[in-house]
Amino acid sequence: MAFMNIGSVHNAPAPSQGRKGDLSDLEEGLNAAQRLVGTDTEETLAIRRDILQKVISATTHGIDTSPLFAKVVMLVNSQDIIQKKMIYQYIVHYAKKKSEMAIMGLNTLCSDCRDTHSPLIRGLALRHLASMRGVAKLSTYLTPLVKQGLNDPSPYVRKTAVLSIIKLKHINPQVIESEKLVNHLYTLIRDKDPQVVVNCIQALEELLLDEGGMKAPKKMVYFLLNRVKEYNQWQLGVVLDLVKKYVPKEKDEIFTIMNLLDDLLNLANAHVVMSITNVFLKLSENLPKTHLRVYKRLKEPLLLMMASSSSEMAYSISKHIKLMVKRCPQVFHPSFQDFFPRYYDPTYLKEVKFDILTLLANRDNVSVIMDELSHHVSKNNTEDDQYNARVAIRALGKVAVAVPEATEISLTHLLDFLEMSLVHVISETFIVLVDILRKYRNDDFCAVYLPQLTKHWKLIESDESKAAFIWILGEFGTTDMLKQAPYILETFIDEYEELAQAVRLEVLTSAMKLFFKRPPEMHAMLGRLLHQAIEDVSNADVHDKALFYYRLLQANVQIAKEVISTPKELVTEFAEEESAEFSDMLFSEFNTLSIIYDQLAEKFIVKTPGVLGSNEDEVLDDDEDVSSDEEEEDPHYDEEPVEQPTSNVQEGNLLGEFTSSPPQQQQAPQQSGLSELVLDPPEVELEEFEAVFKTSEGGRMSFPIQVPSDLDDFEEELENYGIMCLASQTDSAPYRFFFYAQLKRDTSSLFLIEMRLTNDGTVKATIKHPHGAKAVEVFKPVFFEAFSNYR
């Protein structure tokens, strides 16, 4: 069966938007096509397809073709799949915007869902029917057709019906439970068609998301694993994600499952290999010896996949390997050369390979790894080479810190880097030297090599490298190590006004350290520095630190020396090093984006339900402030208000979308009499409502109720109290209502209410009045009492 080329629709010539004859030309074409219905020859099919392509192309270009709706729908009486697909797309498009036309399209789709000739037509019609929006009581029509589709003899229709259940949940969540559709899906997992099975798993995962997803009982898992060869590679990934949830009760089950999946590690699909890796690691996590054997089994497939995949895929696999190396480095030690970056690897991939090399470095391979890192430092042809050089120097420093035997070798390499006289290399070298000297302090080595640092310090440009170099001056500025230290530091003191605050702080600390090491040389310049820093009010940290040092010296110089020059213990573990607890938590989210981001899912996953980027369910911003102190006193509203927060409404299209964060649940206000409402307030036009709502001030309230079974009756009941409904949207939750009302004490103005009713029965109302928040506080108890029958 040949399907329509979607590009041909968009590339079809569209009528010019400026001529009035556009629609008439299309109408004539549709009339001609209508006369050819029933004669499905190649020529007539081509004519009908051509005119439909022109209609859809015109719609795509922004022309309102809704006057042609009836004529387009009349062409649906054909068995041509391409023609039907275009008509279905047209119907769904205008069902959202022209609700009065939706019924005609709805009947057409419902009829085709029962087509007895082609399962493709049934499935296609059901898919588009489930995609319709803006149709009143759509679930009433859709539910029986979905249930019928679940029992259809065609697997295409069944898999479409399964996915339609997810859309049905968004249309009417109550139907899912009342029709026991979840049970239907569990039953369909035993379907003969693999795609139906996989769609059932995905549907159940979404429907049961609040419960942690679908369950994975033993019989179901074994049923799926016994059919593992029937699934394609994409389907395997879905099945394996479900298998991961199963927790075997016996050790033999673990080996049985791993043996069933072992051959699949040879597949060339990264998703399958990573999913099996996740399953194996999950199953063996409480069996240390088996866990080690699993690492050894997984190493070769993962290394092969990393070497043979695209750069983007290799990066993802490398990030997962990096986490595995942290937990079990001994398995990957023999293969450390597999992580040497290739010359054509992009920067982001080289960086993660450098990180893996730092984790694999030990006394046996450290020399080879450092030579490889030094090779990348020597390349300086492009900006990427310069960035890679910085990363390589940083990695070399990590190796030196991690492997004690590598300290002297690394320092030799770093000093060689200084001889390159390249600004970016020298800057990064000083930064790395600080960490090495903090952990391994060898005075004999420092006395020989540190004087060489003074040859290159003038090339330093970055603030971080300046601070690192100044730290070295303060720590090793004795006459037998860095003889020129005070005079070099004086250069920075003279340039104090040009230094960044981080560098200023380091200059203060190093000057104090050098003062107690070499008082005669530092006395005058320290006084000048303290005076300048104390007078500096541009940064509180610098000012306070200088003032502290000054008062400490003024109080007792000997105590100041004990405080500043206290001997420090060598650093054994840096705060930046990742904790084992975090590593374990991250490992529990293996084969997810958490590994790529090096963050737990809770740090970047959006908790709010709904489609990302949509603000349909959002309400007004708590940060928008209304101050009742600025309002004029009004004699009609001098009662004590109920204490609730007030806020302005965001500017914009009133009946359009609102954007902000939901308010906190509040205590219900005290009740007042509904008799205060005017039963027949003056009617309000939509434009008037919107204009007044934008310019008025008011407040908000939130309280729980029972969701009404019939929203039409709900609106009518409120109108009986005098709370009139101007407009509403009740097709899908959250339901939106725009009310207005009037109190008998002031018949000169109206209360305007924008209300949302969520699935869980929470009312979120924004109330506005020309007299502001004080008037709204009086109205809140009245509005609350109107919902007494729903509490």
Side-chain angles (χ1 to χ4, degrees):
M1 178 66 68
F3 283 90
M4 174 181 63
N5 182 357
I6 298 299
S8 66
V9 174
H10 296 284
N11 295 329
S16 171
Q17 297 185 31
R19 296 182 303 180
K20 295 183 178 180
D22 292 343
L23 292 184
S24 60
D25 292 343
L26 293 175
E27 186 174 6
E28 289 178 7
L30 290 171
N31 289 333
Q34 179 61 33
R35 289 192 291 269
L36 299 176
V37 171
T39 56
D40 287 352
T41 63
E42 289 187 9
E43 183 179 356
T44 57
L45 286 177
I47 293 173
R48 292 202 297 271
R49 290 177 185 176
D50 181 64
I51 187 60
L52 286 172
Q53 286 183 6
K54 289 180 179 179
V55 172
I56 292 180
S57 180
T59 306
T60 304
H61 284 78
I63 298 176
D64 182 11
T65 59
S66 59
L68 306 176
F69 192 90
K71 295 185 180 297
V72 172
V73 173
M74 289 176 68
L75 294 180
V76 82
N77 295 322
S78 171
Q79 292 298 308
D80 181 30
I81 295 295
I82 297 177
Q83 184 177 326
K84 281 186 174 290
K85 186 171 184 179
M86 287 190 284
I87 294 172
Y88 293 162
Q89 289 176 339
Y90 179 85
I91 290 173
V92 171
H93 173 77
Y94 276 111
K96 300 176 183 178
K97 301 179 180 179
K98 306 286 185 179
S99 58
E100 66 277 4
M101 297 179 179
I103 297 299
M104 185 186 303
L106 182 67
N107 293 332
T108 300
L109 291 171
C110 289
S111 176
D112 282 354
C113 285
R114 300 183 178 92
D115 186 275
T116 58
H117 298 92
S118 172
L120 287 177
I121 292 177
R122 294 198 299 274
L124 199 61
L126 181 58
R127 187 176 76 181
H128 284 83
L129 179 63
S131 300
M132 291 183 73
R133 295 295 182 269
V135 181
K137 299 183 179 179
L138 176 61
S139 62
T140 305
Y141 300 93
L142 182 58
T143 303
L145 294 173
V146 168
K147 294 177 69 176
Q148 175 183 308
L150 294 175
N151 299 314
D152 195 279
S154 168
Y156 173 73
V157 180
R158 293 200 300 276
K159 78 179 185 66
T160 304
V162 169
L163 295 182
S164 297
I165 294 177
I166 301 176
K167 298 178 180 179
L168 183 58
K169 178 190 176 184
H170 294 288
I171 297 170
N172 188 352
Q174 289 79 13
V175 171
I176 304 299
E177 184 175 353
S178 62
E179 297 294 335
K180 299 182 179 179
L181 293 178
V182 171
N183 293 340
H184 280 285
L185 292 176
Y186 271 114
T187 303
L188 269 181
I189 288 182
R190 292 188 170 273
D191 195 276
K192 296 179 180 179
D193 186 79
Q195 188 59 55
V196 175
V197 174
V198 170
N199 282 12
C200 285
I201 294 174
Q202 291 186 310
L204 285 168
E205 289 285 7
E206 183 161 344
L207 294 175
L208 303 175
L209 186 63
D210 294 338
E211 303 173 20
M214 68 176 294
K215 308 300 180 185
K218 179 178 179 180
K219 290 184 178 180
M220 181 189 298
V221 170
Y222 274 71
F223 171 79
L224 295 172
L225 290 175
N226 287 330
R227 298 179 58 188
V228 75
K229 294 183 179 179
E230 299 178 18
Y231 305 118
N232 62 34
Q233 294 179 354
W234 177 83
Q235 294 165 349
L236 268 174
V238 177
V239 171
L240 291 170
D241 287 340
L242 178 63
V243 172
K244 182 188 67 175
K245 294 184 176 184
Y246 176 61
V247 181
K249 295 182 179 179
E250 299 178 2
K251 190 175 180 179
D252 291 341
E253 283 189 76
I254 296 176
F255 293 111
T256 301
I257 294 174
M258 289 196 291
N259 289 333
L260 283 170
L261 298 175
D262 186 73
D263 291 341
L264 298 178
L265 285 171
N266 298 322
L267 292 176
N269 185 286
H271 178 45
V272 174
V273 173
M274 295 308 298
S275 296
I276 295 174
T277 299
N278 196 12
V279 171
F280 279 22
L281 294 174
K282 183 74 174 178
L283 290 173
S284 62
E285 62 182 349
N286 296 321
L287 302 171
K289 292 183 179 179
T290 304
H291 201 60
L292 181 61
R293 291 171 57 194
V294 165
Y295 269 91
K296 293 178 179 179
R297 175 66 184 93
L298 294 173
K299 182 181 75 170
E300 293 304 325
L302 290 176
L303 292 178
L304 178 61
M305 188 68 63
M306 181 188 72
S308 59
S309 299
S310 64
S311 298
E312 295 81 5
M313 188 62 69
Y315 174 77
S316 177
I317 296 170
S318 299
K319 292 288 285 187
H320 285 79
I321 292 176
K322 177 183 172 183
L323 187 61
M324 296 172 68
V325 169
K326 287 181 180 179
R327 294 172 65 90
C328 199
Q330 65 271 24
V331 172
F332 292 89
H333 276 150
S335 306
F336 73 94
Q337 289 182 328
D338 290 326
F339 299 101
F340 283 2
R342 296 172 290 193
Y343 74 93
Y344 54 82
D345 283 342
T347 298
Y348 57 83
L349 182 55
K350 286 183 178 179
E351 187 170 1
V352 71
K353 286 185 175 181
F354 287 152
D355 289 340
I356 295 174
L357 287 174
T358 62
L359 296 172
L360 292 176
N362 58 26
R363 60 186 302 173
D364 298 324
N365 61 23
V366 67
S367 179
V368 179
I369 290 177
M370 285 197 167
D371 288 342
E372 173 67 16
L373 295 173
S374 299
H375 170 71
H376 289 277
V377 176
S378 63
K379 295 181 179 180
N380 295 284
N381 299 323
T382 65
E383 289 186 8
D384 285 346
D385 288 339
Q386 294 179 12
Y387 179 81
N388 291 332
R390 292 190 183 95
V391 176
I393 294 172
R394 206 176 306 135
L396 193 145
K398 291 179 181 178
V399 172
V401 170
V403 183
E405 294 81 3
T407 306
E408 189 167 343
I409 302 174
S410 65
L411 286 171
T412 304
H413 278 292
L414 292 172
L415 292 174
D416 290 340
F417 296 159
L418 295 177
E419 299 297 330
M420 294 182 182
S421 298
L422 296 173
V423 173
H424 66 279
V425 173
I426 292 174
S427 297
E428 198 66 39
T429 300
F430 278 117
I431 296 171
V432 168
L433 271 171
V434 169
D435 285 340
I436 297 175
L437 294 174
R438 285 169 64 198
K439 190 164 187 177
Y440 305 110
R441 181 164 181 160
N442 187 314
D443 290 342
D444 294 335
F445 178 88
C446 292
V448 175
Y449 287 100
L450 286 184
Q452 299 181 37
L453 296 176
T454 58
K455 300 178 183 179
H456 310 283
W457 68 271
K458 292 183 179 180
L459 295 176
I460 299 174
E461 289 186 353
S462 71
D463 294 333
E464 188 178 3
S465 56
K466 286 180 181 179
F469 175 67
I470 293 169
W471 179 88
I472 294 173
L473 293 178
E475 286 291 322
F476 304 96
T478 57
T479 54
D480 56 338
M481 290 189 187
L482 290 176
K483 190 174 182 179
Q484 299 296 319
Y487 310 106
I488 297 174
L489 187 62
E490 188 174 19
T491 304
F492 290 99
I493 295 174
D494 293 339
E495 300 173 353
Y496 176 85
E497 295 294 338
E498 301 174 9
L499 299 178
Q501 69 175 56
V503 182
R504 292 181 184 182
L505 289 170
E506 196 59 58
V507 168
L508 279 170
T509 304
S510 294
M512 287 291 289
K513 291 177 182 177
L514 282 177
F515 172 72
F516 294 115
K517 290 182 175 72
R518 301 166 70 170
E521 297 160 287
M522 288 298 301
H523 183 272
M525 67 178 75
L526 177 62
R528 179 158 48 92
L529 173 64
L530 290 176
H531 175 75
Q532 198 169 6
I534 291 172
E535 295 295 323
D536 180 12
V537 294
S538 62
N539 184 270
D541 291 338
V542 176
H543 171 81
D544 291 350
K545 191 170 190 176
L547 192 61
F548 169 73
Y549 285 158
Y550 174 76
R551 290 174 176 173
L552 193 61
L553 290 170
Q554 193 177 42
N556 191 312
V557 175
Q558 188 60 37
I559 294 177
K561 181 178 181 179
E562 293 176 3
V563 171
I564 303 298
S565 301
T566 301
K568 301 178 182 64
E569 296 182 2
L570 294 179
V571 177
T572 57
E573 183 176 350
F574 290 93
E576 295 84 1
E577 293 178 2
E578 195 175 86
S579 68
E581 182 182 359
F582 175 79
S583 181
D584 290 341
M585 293 171 65
L586 195 62
F587 194 78
S588 66
E589 298 180 11
F590 196 86
N591 199 25
T592 67
L593 284 175
S594 298
I595 311 301
I596 308 300
Y597 295 154
D598 283 323
Q599 289 183 344
L600 299 178
E602 63 186 19
K603 298 293 185 181
F604 61 87
I605 294 294
V606 179
K607 299 290 186 181
T608 306
V611 180
L612 195 62
S614 170
N615 54 4
E616 179 66 27
D617 297 335
E618 296 176 359
V619 293
L620 301 178
D621 199 325
D622 287 333
D623 295 334
E624 297 187 7
D625 186 38
V626 168
S627 175
S628 59
D629 295 337
E630 298 176 0
E631 297 174 0
E632 297 181 2
E633 294 292 332
D634 188 88
H636 299 294
Y637 304 100
D638 54 0
E639 298 180 10
E640 191 68 24
V642 180
E643 291 188 6
Q644 286 193 354
T646 62
S647 81
N648 268 336
V649 176
Q650 178 178 336
E651 294 294 332
N653 180 9
L654 174 62
L655 301 182
E657 298 302 318
F658 290 90
T659 49
S660 52
S661 53
Q664 299 294 323
Q665 195 81 353
Q666 303 166 3
Q667 294 291 332
Q670 299 177 358
Q671 294 188 12
S672 179
L674 289 172
S675 59
E676 295 186 32
L677 287 169
V678 175
L679 295 180
D680 188 20
E683 292 186 2
V684 179
E685 295 296 329
L686 189 61
E687 294 78 7
E688 180 186 357
F689 185 102
E690 184 170 352
V692 176
F693 200 94
K694 282 183 180 179
T695 57
S696 300
E697 295 182 343
R700 293 185 304 170
M701 63 188 305
S702 177
F703 52 86
I705 64 169
Q706 294 179 1
V707 178
S709 57
D710 190 319
L711 294 175
D712 292 336
D713 292 344
F714 168 71
E715 293 180 16
E716 186 176 348
E717 182 174 343
L718 291 182
E719 289 184 354
N720 290 336
Y721 293 136
I723 301 175
M724 315 306 289
C725 183
L726 176 65
S728 63
Q729 181 279 114
T730 57
D731 294 334
S732 59
Y735 309 114
R736 302 182 70 190
F737 303 88
F738 295 88
F739 297 115
Y740 62 93
Q742 191 175 65
L743 291 182
K744 294 178 180 178
R745 68 177 71 182
D746 179 17
T747 57
S748 62
S749 52
L750 294 170
F751 290 91
L752 307 181
I753 306 108
E754 189 271 341
M755 190 191 92
R756 291 174 185 258
L757 178 59
T758 62
N759 277 331
D760 60 359
T762 301
V763 170
K764 299 175 181 178
T766 301
I767 308 172
K768 292 297 194 72
H769 191 271
H771 295 306
K774 182 171 288 188
V776 169
E777 293 299 332
V778 175
F779 179 74
K780 282 181 179 179
V782 181
F783 185 70
F784 178 76
E785 187 176 352
F787 295 84
S788 57
N789 292 337
Y790 297 95
R791 294 198 298 272

